[in-house]
Amino acid sequence: MVIQAERPNTSHKVLKARRDYNSWVATETLEDYALRFAPKSYRKWSELLVANTAIGGISFLALEAIGGSLAINYGFANSFWAILVVSVIIFLTGLPIAYYAAKYNIDMDLLTRGAGFGYIGSTITSLIYASFTFIFFALEAAIMAQALNLYFGLHLAIGYVICSLVIIPLVFFGVTLINQLQLWTQPIWFVLMVIPYICVIYKEPDALSNWFNFAGNSASGADFDPLLFGVAATVSFSLIAQIGEQVDYLRFLPDRKKGNCWRWWLGVIGAGAGWIILGGAKQLGGAFLASLAVSKGVSLESAKEPIRMYLAGFADVFANPEIVLAVGTFFVIVSQIKINVTNAYAGSLAWSNFFSRITHSHPGRVVWLVFNVAIALLLMELGVFHTLEAILGLYSNVAIAWIGALVADLVINKPLGISPSYIEFKRAYLYNINPVGFGAMLIASAVAIASFLGAFGDFPRAYSSFLALGLAFILSPIIAFLTKGKYYIARQNPYFLSNNTYSLVTCSICTQDYEQQDMAYCPIYDSNICSLCCSLDANCHDSCKKTEANKYQPVLDCLEKIIAAKISPQLSKRLLKFGIIFSLVSGAFGALFVLVYYQSISTTIEFSQTDYLRFLLLKLSAATVMIIAIGTWWLVLSEESRFLAQEELDKQNIQLQQEIKERYAAEKALFQLTGELEKRVEKRTAELQNALDNLRSMQLQLIQSEKMSTLGQLVAGVAHEINNPLSFISGNISCAQTYLEDIFNHLELYQEQFPNPGAEIKENAEEIDLDYLKEDLPKLISSMQEGTERIRNISTSLRTFSRADTDSKVKFNLHEGIDSTLLILKHRLKANDKRPAIEIIKEYGNLPPVNCYPGQLNQVFMNIIANAVDALDELNQGRSYEEIESQPNLIMICTEVNPEQTSALVRIKDNGVGMTEEVKAKIFDHLFTTKTVGEGTGLGLSISRQIIVEKHQGKLECNSVLGEGTEFIIAIPL
């Protein structure tokens, strides 16, 4: 289906060059539509399988580690209520996100773009989401490494490497392999997770009461403290971004239909927002197992480790300590593999989205998979698990501000109509920055982080996460209302207006076919383009959205005037770029150093001052390497993008130079050829003109001869066929009349001889109305006689019209030719639903027979009278029947001999539309017509003029006045 797209005004055009993706990007089995929405053709899994895969990510033991850490640090009451309250909030915020992602089949980044953040604004949230994935990947891999260390005695540093590398091949093939992994490991994981709790409660009834009274390191003991509750909630709030990993799988749900409605909703709620139901239970289970481990002699520091927790639980399941250790280690490995394939997969999507917009390059999801795992490995080597609370507490303030602004747009702005009802995620139709979600997140996270660092006192510090959520949720609709929602859609998407959303459209850049939701119209390339090619294009400079650039232009012009007055324009641009990049890099390093310092001073390991400084510098150096790695990769891709652009420009220059050379050579050859052609043309022109004149003359003669021959044969044949039965009928009618008279006389004689007929004869005479038959039957015979005479006249007229031309002229009565022509055209003169009948007024003079070609003259009469009928029909178009009746349609035919007695004149005049001087000057041209295509090939006047002037040495003139009518005057020499 072809859609006429709205085309913004732009004169900037870019030469279109095909983009070929590498084999990883081109193979969607590996790519899983990393930067696109999931098309219907790819969503081939059932609702149950997709939901099972999504819920398989809940296996991560960081939940237990968080629950255990909260219980140890803040006691039972504070950790319990923090986990419970936060779980309810996470469920409520996750529900609309899961619904919209499953409905529109898009991941977290694409959802964020269209829900208040804009195309570039969601880049920040992609970085937040990517950090969520590698932070939790590091935590989960560290937990698995702890289990390997405990069972095999493997050094943690080596364990970190093994636990990281083993995930890469499992995620390489994307959802296709992850589906099978989660499907086969789900029953094993669930059974091993539940058994310890059942056995502990059965064998140790006091374990629950010990948990209820567990104080850990809490200053309030096992009792509730509002400040400690707030701090614990902040840590638990860090899990709010887990909904992003859930929708990375939920986007593959099939469309919601009448037959699968309940299964679809079960998948959205159960595997989407409902993940926190099991997740909250696992956190509480972790708190319970941590108290159990402490009661069995495990130190408070080690009790945070999930392997220690489950060893304490499995001790009540198996009596043999070796079996306990083996089963516990196996359970930890299965759980961590299940979650880290999800973390690594989600991280590859997030990094793909981030770097594709920053560098306009996409080497493939697999590259970012390795990149994400490498960052997580670095975090593990820095000891991220030991500072779990500090890292998650700081991170949650930013994550919850993002989710709060996103949810506010989905549940407030969209229902109120402030933002579009649908999710638009393509670069071509989005503003780069939408202040609604991006501004709300920025303000809320800044205030929350300041509160978390103690800028506003202890209470706001404890409740910084709630402050982030509340501010973002309130600010989003306020900013949307103030801006009137005008920063959501930069220009209308024509594909959204189409009902046939699953039809395929070909991308003009990569030449692949994609569904309409994934396509945009690009005015720069003046063709359709897919969302990925649109994202990676570095040449268009968002020219399709010039309105966005224009709104900032006054500010930029003002700054340019102020700066340019002091320094050169080129230097001012460099200083501006330097200031922006320096602020970003220095801010990133500053935040990183603060985080490392905060993590270092929170450890319980004792160092001398020299050792502490050396340890701190080592960590800062390692952390710096991570930032340098990201920045270096960024620069590499940016440089590669510039190189590809330059390479493309060089190719175009070479092509242009080659084209110039070829055109110069062609121009030179053309110049030489032109001289020769001019001479040939002059010679051939004269020859062609003569040939053309002869051809036209022959063409007209052939057309005239063929038409008259065909028409004459047809009419003569019809007249002959009519004449035969007509002669038979006419001859028999007179005989029939005589026979009837004899019968009637005979009948009267019977009546005289037998005046009293029988009753049966009388009844029959009355039944057939004998008297009426005797009276009417002669009249019937007379009318039949009259009809045959009329048919005989028609046949005579047809023979007159079709009289074949002879080699020499013959004497001919022009009145007979005109009458026969009118008889043939009688059907066109009759009244119809658009006009009354055309009235023919004949004023015949006393013409002598004319020496002529009768058949050709009849053709002239036919052409002129038929054109007069067409002119009257054209006059009546658009007029009411009353208006037509007020001015009758007339054709006047007058004949006379001119005063010099040298010519017979025939005047045919109508009161039709008439002609303009321009039309009148062309009516005798060959094939000229005023009719539309399909209604005729010409007026026939060119042939008519040739017949009168060339064949008969007469004259054919035309007098016409626009709006009054037209008169043709035929003069035939006597």
Side-chain angles (χ1 to χ4, degrees):
M1 187 180 80
V2 178
I3 296 179
Q4 183 63 37
E6 178 184 355
R7 301 188 176 190
N9 293 326
T10 174
S11 59
H12 175 57
K13 299 294 180 183
V14 178
L15 183 63
K16 187 161 50 181
R18 179 178 176 181
R19 177 181 288 114
D20 292 316
Y21 296 113
N22 62 54
S23 59
W24 286 350
V25 178
T27 306
E28 292 300 344
T29 305
L30 305 179
E31 193 66 9
D32 278 341
Y33 292 89
L35 301 177
R36 309 176 185 273
F37 94 110
K40 184 179 181 180
S41 60
Y42 194 72
R43 292 181 271 120
K44 56 184 179 293
W45 300 289
S46 66
E47 296 87 353
L48 181 61
L49 183 59
V50 174
N52 179 75
T53 303
I55 207 68
I58 314 305
S59 64
F60 60 108
L61 296 180
L63 290 166
E64 284 87 341
I66 292 173
S69 179
L70 294 179
I72 291 172
N73 291 330
Y74 306 108
F76 167 76
N78 296 316
S79 61
F80 177 83
W81 289 110
I83 293 170
L84 192 62
V85 170
V86 170
S87 296
V88 172
I89 295 175
I90 290 178
F91 178 83
L92 295 176
T93 57
L95 192 59
I97 294 175
Y99 168 76
Y100 274 91
K103 178 181 179 181
Y104 291 98
N105 308 110
I106 52 179
D107 62 15
M108 195 66 172
D109 176 74
L110 303 187
L111 178 64
T112 304
R113 289 188 198 177
F117 283 77
Y119 180 72
I120 298 299
S122 64
T123 304
I124 305 301
T125 61
S126 291
L127 189 59
I128 296 172
Y129 184 38
S131 63
F132 172 85
T133 63
F134 66 65
I135 287 174
F136 275 88
F137 185 100
L139 293 174
E140 305 301 336
I143 292 171
M144 187 162 67
Q146 291 167 358
L148 295 177
N149 173 262
L150 195 61
Y151 187 79
F152 297 105
L154 190 66
H155 193 275
L156 284 177
I158 301 176
Y160 294 152
V161 176
I162 294 175
C163 295
S164 299
L165 296 180
V166 73
I167 300 299
I168 294 177
L170 297 177
V171 188
F172 189 88
F173 290 98
V175 173
T176 303
L177 181 59
I178 295 175
N179 273 336
Q180 299 303 314
L181 175 67
Q182 300 290 12
L183 180 65
W184 292 105
T185 58
Q186 204 84 311
I188 301 172
W189 163 75
F190 185 77
V191 170
L192 292 178
M193 180 185 68
V194 173
I195 284 180
Y197 295 102
I198 297 175
C199 292
V200 167
I201 294 174
Y202 177 75
K203 293 184 177 181
E204 300 185 47
D206 295 335
L208 284 175
S209 61
N210 291 335
W211 176 39
F212 296 153
N213 296 295
F214 184 72
N217 293 325
S218 174
S220 64
D223 297 329
F224 182 80
D225 182 274
L227 288 177
L228 296 180
F229 162 78
V231 176
T234 299
V235 177
S236 186
F237 258 130
S238 62
L239 297 169
I240 197 168
Q242 174 63 28
I243 188 63
E245 295 192 353
Q246 302 305 117
V247 302
D248 281 341
Y249 296 118
L250 290 183
R251 66 193 177 110
F252 294 111
L253 279 174
D255 290 338
R256 177 164 56 99
K257 300 177 183 177
K258 188 175 181 179
N260 71 339
C261 189
W262 70 270
R263 296 194 303 273
W264 191 87
W265 276 109
L266 183 64
V268 170
I269 297 176
W275 79 269
I276 194 59
I277 297 175
L278 182 58
K282 283 167 63 66
Q283 289 182 76
L284 294 175
F288 170 71
L289 291 179
S291 67
L292 179 68
V294 171
S295 68
K296 292 186 177 183
V298 179
S299 67
L300 291 175
E301 181 65 27
S302 299
K304 300 177 183 180
E305 300 175 4
I307 182 61
R308 301 287 185 178
M309 298 178 186
Y310 277 95
L311 287 179
F314 281 119
D316 288 335
V317 180
F318 305 104
N320 190 330
E322 293 183 358
I323 296 178
V324 170
L325 181 59
V327 173
T329 302
F330 175 74
F331 171 70
V332 170
I333 292 173
V334 171
S335 299
Q336 301 316 89
I337 289 177
K338 283 170 66 66
I339 178 54
N340 265 357
V341 295
T342 296
N343 283 326
Y345 177 72
S348 66
L349 297 180
W351 284 119
S352 295
N353 278 294
F354 177 75
F355 277 103
S356 67
R357 277 169 284 174
I358 296 299
T359 64
H360 296 289
S361 176
H362 181 53
R365 183 186 63 80
V366 176
V367 173
W368 302 120
L369 163 66
V370 177
F371 184 74
N372 197 57
V373 171
I375 296 177
L377 177 60
L378 180 60
L379 287 179
M380 285 185 281
E381 300 295 349
L382 289 174
V384 66
F385 187 80
H386 298 290
T387 56
L388 177 66
E389 181 183 342
I391 292 177
L392 296 184
L394 181 63
Y395 171 80
S396 65
N397 289 286
V398 181
I400 198 170
W402 163 35
I403 298 298
L406 176 60
V407 172
D409 189 83
L410 298 178
V411 301
I412 298 179
N413 299 349
K414 291 191 181 301
L416 292 179
I418 307 175
S419 68
S421 59
Y422 61 99
I423 302 296
E424 180 57 74
F425 61 87
K426 293 177 284 295
R427 172 191 181 188
Y429 303 111
L430 292 176
Y431 284 103
N432 284 336
I433 299 293
N434 188 343
V436 176
F438 185 75
M441 181 196 74
L442 204 63
I443 297 172
S445 58
V447 173
I449 290 175
S451 300
F452 179 76
L453 296 177
F456 307 119
D458 293 337
F459 197 83
R461 178 181 183 181
Y463 287 86
S464 61
S465 56
F466 291 94
L467 186 61
L469 178 63
L471 274 177
F473 197 80
I474 294 172
L475 286 174
S476 176
I478 291 176
I479 298 175
F481 179 77
L482 293 177
T483 58
K484 299 180 181 179
K486 63 180 180 180
Y487 296 111
Y488 282 90
I489 304 297
R491 63 186 181 96
Q492 186 62 49
N493 181 359
Y495 291 116
F496 172 73
L497 304 176
S498 171
N499 293 326
N500 192 13
T501 53
Y502 295 128
S503 62
L504 297 180
V505 180
T506 302
C507 174
S508 61
I509 304 301
C510 63
T511 67
Q512 299 297 317
D513 294 333
Y514 299 100
E515 292 177 11
Q516 284 190 13
Q517 297 99 319
D518 205 20
M519 297 299 296
Y521 169 74
C522 179
I524 304 303
Y525 293 114
D526 195 21
S527 56
N528 296 318
I529 186 171
C530 69
S531 61
L532 179 56
C533 289
C534 183
S535 294
L536 302 183
D537 195 278
N539 296 324
C540 69
H541 306 294
D542 284 337
S543 298
C544 61
K545 300 177 290 184
K546 283 300 183 183
T547 52
E548 182 176 13
N550 292 337
K551 69 180 180 179
Y552 300 115
Q553 196 60 42
V555 178
L556 296 176
D557 291 341
C558 182
L559 290 174
E560 184 177 356
K561 289 180 180 179
I562 295 174
I563 298 175
K566 306 296 182 182
I567 54 181
S568 66
Q570 186 65 26
L571 183 58
S572 65
K573 293 180 181 179
R574 292 173 180 171
L575 289 176
L576 183 62
K577 292 180 181 178
F578 172 79
I580 294 174
I581 297 175
F582 177 76
S583 300
L584 292 175
V585 175
S586 60
F589 276 104
L592 186 64
F593 287 173
V594 170
L595 181 63
V596 171
Y597 175 77
Y598 187 77
Q599 179 259 348
S600 299
I601 63 175
S602 63
T603 57
T604 58
I605 304 175
E606 295 293 336
F607 288 105
S608 66
Q609 186 175 3
T610 303
D611 292 337
Y612 174 74
L613 290 175
R614 186 182 297 111
F615 176 72
L616 181 61
L617 288 174
L618 179 62
K619 284 198 167 186
L620 287 174
S621 300
T624 304
V625 169
M626 181 177 67
I627 298 296
I628 292 174
I630 296 175
T632 303
W633 188 242
W634 181 354
L635 291 175
V636 166
L637 291 179
S638 299
E639 184 63 28
E640 181 181 349
S641 178
R642 287 193 294 271
F643 174 77
L644 292 175
Q646 184 63 41
E647 187 179 38
E648 180 180 350
L649 184 60
D650 292 341
K651 289 181 180 178
Q652 294 178 8
N653 286 334
I654 293 173
Q655 292 176 357
L656 184 59
Q657 291 175 5
Q658 182 64 29
E659 184 178 352
I660 290 173
K661 292 180 180 179
E662 292 175 356
R663 290 191 178 185
Y664 178 76
E667 183 180 359
K668 185 177 180 180
L670 183 61
F671 181 78
Q672 294 175 351
L673 185 60
T674 301
E676 299 177 5
L677 288 177
E678 287 178 352
K679 296 178 181 178
R680 294 181 184 178
V681 167
E682 291 177 357
K683 181 179 179 181
R684 294 292 294 172
T685 299
E687 297 175 358
L688 289 174
Q689 186 62 44
N690 292 332
L692 182 61
D693 293 340
N694 295 333
L695 181 62
R696 286 178 177 174
S697 177
M698 293 176 62
Q699 182 183 24
L700 289 174
Q701 293 176 7
L702 287 173
I703 291 173
Q704 183 264 338
S705 299
E706 185 65 25
K707 286 176 64 177
M708 289 307 299
S709 175
T710 303
L711 182 60
Q713 292 175 6
L714 175 63
V715 172
V718 171
H720 178 73
E721 292 299 325
I722 291 175
N723 211 33
N724 286 336
L726 182 63
S727 299
F728 172 77
I729 294 171
S730 178
N732 289 334
I733 284 177
S734 60
C735 295
Q737 191 172 10
T738 302
Y739 297 159
L740 285 175
E741 290 177 358
D742 293 340
I743 291 173
F744 285 158
N745 292 333
H746 187 71
L747 182 61
E748 290 176 357
L749 183 61
Y750 260 96
Q751 290 176 342
E752 291 176 359
Q753 295 297 324
F754 300 95
N756 296 313
E760 185 176 354
I761 294 176
K762 287 183 179 181
E763 289 177 0
N764 182 261
E766 291 177 357
E767 182 178 352
I768 67 175
D769 199 354
L770 183 61
D771 293 335
Y772 176 76
L773 287 178
K774 292 168 64 178
E775 178 185 354
D776 189 61
L777 192 55
K779 296 179 182 178
L780 179 64
I781 297 298
S782 298
S783 64
M784 292 173 64
Q785 183 68 36
E786 184 180 351
T788 57
E789 288 298 325
R790 291 181 63 185
I791 295 174
R792 189 183 302 278
N793 292 335
I794 292 174
S795 176
T796 302
S797 297
L798 289 175
R799 288 199 306 273
T800 301
F801 182 84
S802 64
R803 183 176 297 174
D805 291 339
T806 59
D807 295 335
S808 60
K809 298 178 181 179
V810 296
K811 295 291 184 179
F812 178 65
N813 188 339
L814 295 182
H815 294 160
E816 292 182 3
I818 295 172
D819 291 340
S820 65
T821 301
L822 291 174
L823 184 62
I824 293 174
L825 290 174
K826 188 174 182 179
H827 69 285
R828 293 199 60 191
L829 302 175
K830 293 180 179 180
N832 54 40
D833 57 348
K834 296 181 180 179
R835 60 163 174 78
I838 297 175
E839 183 179 353
I840 303 296
I841 301 175
K842 294 188 288 185
E843 296 180 359
Y844 289 168
N846 188 16
L847 292 180
V850 177
N851 196 30
C852 65
Y853 298 100
Q856 295 184 15
L857 282 185
N858 287 341
Q859 182 183 358
V860 174
F861 298 149
M862 175 72 75
N863 287 339
I864 294 176
I865 296 174
N867 286 332
V869 174
D870 291 339
L872 291 171
D873 287 341
E874 183 180 352
L875 175 66
N876 293 324
Q877 288 181 358
R879 299 172 65 193
S880 65
Y881 208 85
E882 292 75 12
E883 291 176 335
I884 296 172
E885 287 184 333
S886 65
Q887 182 183 348
N889 299 318
L890 302 175
I891 297 178
M892 299 180 62
I893 304 175
C894 303
T895 61
E896 61 180 350
V897 178
N898 67 343
E900 292 81 11
Q901 301 294 314
T902 58
S903 298
L905 301 180
V906 179
R907 303 177 186 270
I908 303 175
K909 183 178 181 180
D910 64 74
N911 61 343
V913 292
M915 291 182 282
T916 63
E917 292 297 326
E918 182 181 0
V919 173
K920 191 167 69 172
K922 298 179 180 179
I923 59 173
F924 295 115
D925 292 347
H926 181 58
L927 294 181
F928 173 76
T929 181
T930 58
K931 300 176 183 178
T932 57
V933 177
E935 294 185 1
T937 58
L939 296 172
L941 296 178
S942 176
I943 296 176
S944 299
R945 188 173 191 178
Q946 185 181 26
I947 291 172
I948 299 299
V949 176
E950 297 182 9
K951 291 287 187 178
H952 294 84
Q953 290 75 45
K955 295 180 180 179
L956 178 59
E957 298 178 353
C958 174
N959 298 321
S960 180
V961 178
L962 187 63
E964 296 183 5
T966 302
E967 180 184 26
F968 284 91
I969 304 172
I970 304 170
I972 306 295
L974 293 174

